[in-house]
Amino acid sequence: MTSMKLAAASNGSAAGIGDVLQGIRTIAECVRDIAKERTEQTRLRESARMEVEQIHAMRDVLLHHLDRSFDERKENFRQLFERLDGAIQGNNVQLASAVLESVVKLADSSPFKALQDVAATRAALGQKGQEWQF
């Protein structure tokens, strides 16, 4: 009977050791998974940071372009109104009419239309398989 108890105990120990080893394997897999997830989180954070930097760079270019465009528009309007003042002082109705027409055309145009054209051109150039002939 004692040998049966020893055999049962040793089988129980073997089963217990096997369970412990399986538990250790499970813990090791969990640790590896945690490390993988941390690496993925780091990669995602870095990717997000790079995207934000790219957005900021594009914003800066856009704002600079708009500043320059509006500065140019401001100067164009200033020159047109100077010409209009000269036409009025000189009683030149035809010149005043032509200058006013130019003022209206400039007011109707928008720097944002140019940006749409640039965006459309960029999208067209980015199409794969597109063949361009010049």
Side-chain angles (χ1 to χ4, degrees):
M1 188 123 171
T2 311
S3 55
M4 288 174 105
K5 284 184 181 179
L6 286 175
S10 67
N11 284 344
S13 298
I17 291 175
D19 289 343
V20 169
L21 290 176
Q22 183 57 40
I24 291 172
R25 284 187 199 106
T26 302
I27 291 171
E29 287 177 22
C30 288
V31 169
R32 279 192 299 271
D33 289 345
I34 289 169
K36 284 180 188 176
E37 289 301 318
R38 284 186 180 154
T39 301
E40 181 64 12
Q41 287 175 355
T42 301
R43 187 191 67 75
L44 289 173
R45 270 194 300 275
E46 184 62 20
S47 177
R49 186 188 64 76
M50 290 174 61
E51 289 292 326
V52 167
E53 284 182 14
Q54 184 178 9
I55 290 168
H56 286 165
M58 290 174 11
R59 176 202 61 195
D60 293 344
V61 168
L62 175 65
L63 290 176
H64 179 73
H65 174 73
L66 289 174
D67 283 345
R68 303 283 294 169
S69 295
F70 284 110
D71 286 348
E72 183 179 333
R73 287 173 63 82
K74 177 182 169 184
E75 180 61 23
N76 289 340
F77 275 118
R78 188 190 64 71
Q79 289 177 8
L80 286 171
F81 283 117
E82 280 181 7
R83 288 187 186 126
L84 180 62
D85 288 343
I88 291 172
Q89 286 177 354
N91 248 355
N92 189 339
V93 177
Q94 288 178 329
L95 180 58
S97 175
V99 170
L100 284 173
E101 188 175 319
S102 294
V103 168
V104 170
K105 283 182 183 177
L106 183 58
D108 281 342
S109 69
S110 168
F112 294 109
K113 288 181 183 176
L115 289 176
Q116 288 175 343
D117 292 342
V118 169
T121 303
R122 186 175 193 188
L125 290 173
Q127 291 177 353
K128 295 193 185 238
Q130 178 70 33
E131 211 172 287
W132 299 96
Q133 294 181 359
F134 297 97

